[in-house]
Amino acid sequence: MKLNLQDTFNKKLPADPKRDNTRRQVYKSCFSYVTPKNPSNPKLLHVSMDMAELLGLTEENVRSQKFLEIATGAHILKGTDPYAMCYGGYQFGNWAGQLGDGRAINLTEVEHKDKRWALQLKGVGETPYSRTADGLAVLRSSIREHLISEAMYYLGVPTTRSLSLALSGDQVLRDIMYDGNSAYEKGAIVCRVSPCFIRFGNFEIFASRKDFETLQALTDYTINEFYPDIKAGNKEGYIAFFNEAVTNTLAMIIHWQRVGFVHGVMNTDNMSIHGLTIDYGPYGWLEGYDPNWTPNTTDSQLRRYRFGNQPQISLWNLYQLANALFPLVEESKPFEDILTKYNTEYQVKYISMMRQKLGLQKAIETDTQLVLDLERILQLTETDMTIFFRNLANVSKAMEFKENDSFLDFVKDAFYKPDELKDEVLKEWRVWFKGYIDRLKQEDMTDVDRKTEMNKVNPKYVLRNYMAQLTNEAADNGDYSLIDEMHTMLKQPYDEQENYQKWFAKRPEWARNKVGSSMLSCSS
Ligand code: AMP
Ligand code: MG
């Protein structure tokens, strides 16, 4: 196995001089050297072969004992220096001080075909940043992270990737619902991969400590390594860099809203500086279209991170990033100008994305109202977002709209309780469909072409929470086959895939209020 190692983060930035895993506050350093915990009986459960190939690894490589050992922290590649990063963050709106890689250890960076990838093991024991926790991860949350990282990539959503999923062989104690019922669970290790794991929180920690020297070192490093068109070391460069962070974050959020993804824990330590979706915990998918929904029970009171609030929370987080970078610029206007643009740009991009979901190529002023009406009506009766938009592509623009309800054929599969549809709701749907079909008539595309276009942005298969739950339950009983089935299916989320038709279905009733399906906590 030959990996082209190209460490930069831990070679070019200020380091914590002490090499040990003991929990502590770390100052004036971007990271600490650490040693991954030795797993007692590691076993590989799944490898994302596409990701492996991007690193230059073959099938034979990933089947080797050495790969298993590297992917679980048992073997440290010669010439590498594993490290944990120092960062802080605002958790649920409150400054939390030093957080950092509490259960993630970066192994090294690998260069292959002009691309650089950082490899990071999640769940290999404590680091200086573990605070009161153990640095370990359980199988259920690791399966969820492994599958969703790859699924998001294939959905076209910017994301960190996952190379492999393994059992550590160790038992991990967790209290899933924080109600005093702790139990041992199987420990697991995911090997995450990303061009970069730097978060908003990496900048915030140094600003909060008034350590502007390290703040500048990190900012210059990030610009030099990832933005060849920006010149580091001056105010214009820092502003241009901030502008990139805003643009990329906004693009990511539009994708989340497009596919119905709810992150669940949008703390600033979980926001990638490059606008990649990162740190998959109690995330979920909208089933019934509901902007107020969040899968995270830890947030069930205030619902800060609910679906409909994600765009505004991103902006709030970007304000915190601006505050962190401010000491390098010492002028607030350039930041304010960029942040003010966010709302208008979001509106424009959101409507343009929704037009695509509706199969509209022309931009007509009344489209915004069509979208707003749809969002309102979708909430009048529980309507599955994924199924609704996928089925909408079957509408024909030649359809003569009569006062019968044939239009409902296109969407009735998306209603959770079709028999209970009230007359007044039906009336609203009639009016909306009439408007929609009239609007389609203004398009030049044929029905067939429109369907093709719509199917490129409206996924057929997403990792619904109950599907992840079924995969977890089977895995807990030693059956790992669903992991591969889900992975294979989610690689082509926009394709029909006849053999996976059963997964194009509404959430079953048993999963409505089930822990692990609709109720998830941060316990992982
Ligand atoms: P999260 O919001 O889940 O991404 O994590 C918030 C902070 O808690 C981060 O600094 C994590 O590294 C840390 N953390 C979460 N779970 C653990 C754990 N089991 N052991 C150590 N640190 C953890
Ligand atoms: Mg995190």
Side-chain angles (χ1 to χ4, degrees):
M1 180 170 7
K2 259 187 78 184
L3 287 169
N4 185 12
L5 308 181
Q6 298 286 335
D7 288 359
T8 59
F9 191 90
N10 63 342
K11 294 284 187 297
K12 296 188 176 175
L13 285 165
D16 176 8
K18 205 162 134 197
R19 179 190 290 267
D20 88 52
N21 292 46
T22 320
R23 298 167 177 86
R24 60 186 184 272
Q25 291 291 309
V26 173
Y27 296 98
K28 297 216 156 261
S29 311
C30 290
F31 66 94
S32 305
Y33 289 112
V34 288
T35 314
K37 178 182 190 294
N38 225 339
S40 64
N41 186 19
K43 186 177 169 221
L44 208 54
L45 295 183
H46 195 262
V47 174
S48 170
M49 219 32 239
D50 289 4
M51 187 59 241
E53 280 161 13
L54 289 177
L55 298 170
L57 299 174
T58 62
E59 288 258 7
E60 197 187 337
N61 289 154
V62 305
R63 270 195 239 108
S64 67
Q65 176 67 17
K66 186 146 178 221
F67 180 84
L68 167 71
E69 290 175 6
I70 295 168
T72 55
H75 176 86
I76 301 305
L77 281 163
K78 225 170 128 189
T80 65
D81 272 324
Y83 59 97
M85 293 187 194
C86 180
Y87 55 80
Y90 281 89
Q91 297 187 312
F92 298 93
N94 304 306
W95 176 246
Q98 177 181 296
L99 297 166
D101 288 331
R103 57 156 164 191
I105 293 183
N106 303 276
L107 294 180
T108 182
E109 286 158 72
V110 172
E111 195 182 274
H112 185 64
K113 295 199 171 152
D114 289 332
K115 281 219 166 114
R116 196 168 74 208
W117 301 98
L119 307 189
Q120 182 182 81
L121 300 183
K122 189 163 172 180
V124 283
E126 70 168 80
T127 75
Y129 310 100
S130 298
R131 296 179 293 161
T132 56
D134 55 12
L136 304 175
V138 293
L139 180 58
R140 60 184 155 81
S141 64
S142 305
I143 289 177
R144 283 170 51 87
E145 176 145 26
H146 178 66
L147 287 178
I148 199 64
S149 304
E150 293 302 285
M152 291 286 266
Y153 170 74
Y154 291 106
L155 280 166
V157 185
T159 179
T160 60
R161 304 281 307 264
S162 179
L163 171 64
S164 60
L165 167 72
L167 286 172
S168 62
D170 298 307
Q171 294 288 302
V172 176
L173 192 63
R174 287 290 182 271
D175 180 356
I176 301 192
M177 293 321 286
Y178 300 120
D179 59 3
N181 291 314
S182 297
Y184 279 101
E185 300 185 45
K186 289 180 194 173
I189 300 163
V190 162
C191 182
R192 305 201 290 190
V193 186
S194 174
C196 170
F197 285 103
I198 299 175
R199 304 134 189 275
F200 291 9
N202 291 74
F203 302 88
E204 290 173 307
I205 187 74
F206 303 121
S208 82
R209 289 170 170 172
K210 306 212 177 326
D211 174 3
F212 303 139
E213 208 181 321
T214 315
L215 173 68
Q216 182 170 1
L218 177 71
T219 313
D220 286 343
Y221 164 86
T222 312
I223 294 173
N224 287 331
E225 297 295 320
F226 297 99
Y227 300 96
D229 297 335
I230 303 179
K231 206 166 165 322
N234 64 54
K235 292 184 182 188
E236 291 70 40
Y238 299 136
I239 290 294
F241 164 61
F242 178 68
N243 193 44
E244 287 289 325
V246 174
T247 305
N248 294 332
T249 302
L250 197 150
M252 171 186 81
I253 295 294
I254 296 280
H255 279 293
W256 289 4
Q257 306 307 101
R258 170 173 67 85
V259 298
F261 174 80
V262 189
H263 183 284
V265 201
M266 292 174 70
N267 294 334
T268 57
D269 52 304
N270 290 338
M271 297 292 292
S272 145
I273 194 70
H274 299 292
L276 305 169
T277 317
I278 191 170
D279 278 15
Y280 294 98
Y283 67 82
W285 295 89
L286 276 199
E287 288 175 324
Y289 182 86
D290 176 5
N292 286 319
W293 187 74
T294 173
N296 185 359
T297 50
T298 318
D299 188 26
S300 61
Q301 289 298 311
L302 293 177
R303 295 180 183 262
R304 179 180 172 85
Y305 299 141
R306 61 191 183 272
F307 178 68
N309 214 26
Q310 296 188 130
Q312 283 310 307
I313 286 294
S314 289
L315 180 59
W316 191 91
N317 289 341
L318 286 163
Y319 266 96
Q320 309 319 311
L321 179 64
N323 284 334
L325 296 175
F326 176 80
L328 303 180
V329 178
E330 292 177 318
E331 246 183 281
S332 53
K333 179 135 186 350
F335 289 110
E336 276 163 17
D337 290 348
I338 294 170
L339 290 164
T340 309
K341 256 187 357 208
Y342 177 100
N343 273 330
T344 33
E345 275 185 24
Y346 176 77
Q347 290 308 330
V348 171
K349 290 188 169 152
Y350 178 76
I351 291 298
S352 136
M353 175 276 284
M354 289 302 283
R355 264 195 201 103
Q356 283 185 293
K357 282 181 83 67
L358 293 173
L360 307 175
Q361 282 188 330
K362 295 181 180 163
I364 294 179
E365 222 175 296
T366 50
D367 292 346
T368 303
Q369 197 55 48
L370 191 73
V371 169
L372 292 177
D373 287 343
L374 175 61
E375 287 176 349
R376 185 178 56 79
I377 300 166
L378 278 170
Q379 293 170 64
L380 296 179
T381 180
E382 197 180 6
T383 310
D384 192 274
M385 179 180 175
T386 305
I387 297 178
F388 174 83
F389 281 102
R390 190 72 185 185
N391 285 359
L392 193 65
N394 295 321
V395 167
S396 158
K397 70 174 171 182
M399 195 173 129
E400 273 311 314
F401 201 87
K402 301 200 185 78
E403 284 302 306
N404 62 31
D405 291 329
S406 60
F407 67 90
L408 267 192
D409 292 345
F410 302 111
V411 292
K412 67 171 188 286
D413 289 351
F415 295 146
Y416 274 83
K417 291 177 183 146
D419 303 338
E420 293 173 23
L421 201 62
K422 294 196 187 98
D423 277 350
E424 60 263 31
V425 177
L426 202 56
K427 223 163 107 189
E428 297 252 24
W429 275 118
R430 278 191 200 115
V431 174
W432 188 83
F433 266 98
K434 175 144 182 14
Y436 179 56
I437 290 164
D438 284 347
R439 176 63 186 81
L440 290 182
K441 292 193 168 114
Q442 301 183 53
E443 291 286 326
D444 304 325
M445 261 191 302
T446 64
D447 284 341
V448 174
D449 289 348
R450 188 180 66 255
K451 180 170 177 165
T452 308
E453 289 307 306
M454 286 172 79
N455 285 356
K456 286 181 195 163
V457 292
N458 295 322
K460 175 149 182 167
Y461 301 102
V462 292
L463 184 63
R464 289 167 185 272
N465 307 316
Y466 86 90
M467 290 156 61
Q469 172 76 3
L470 289 177
T471 311
N472 281 344
E473 281 172 8
D476 209 36
N477 294 322
D479 173 3
Y480 303 111
S481 59
L482 268 182
I483 299 175
D484 193 52
E485 177 167 340
M486 291 296 160
H487 176 82
T488 306
M489 172 182 74
L490 295 168
K491 271 168 83 165
Q492 291 167 301
Y494 299 104
D495 292 354
E496 284 302 318
Q497 302 197 69
E498 286 305 322
N499 46 336
Y500 291 127
Q501 208 63 27
K502 70 172 174 194
W503 298 117
F504 180 61
K506 283 175 284 196
R507 170 204 61 228
E509 269 313 298
W510 62 259
R512 184 181 283 275
N513 293 311
K514 191 173 160 76
V515 172
S517 283
S518 67
M519 289 199 274
L520 295 151
S521 73
C522 287
S523 159
S524 55

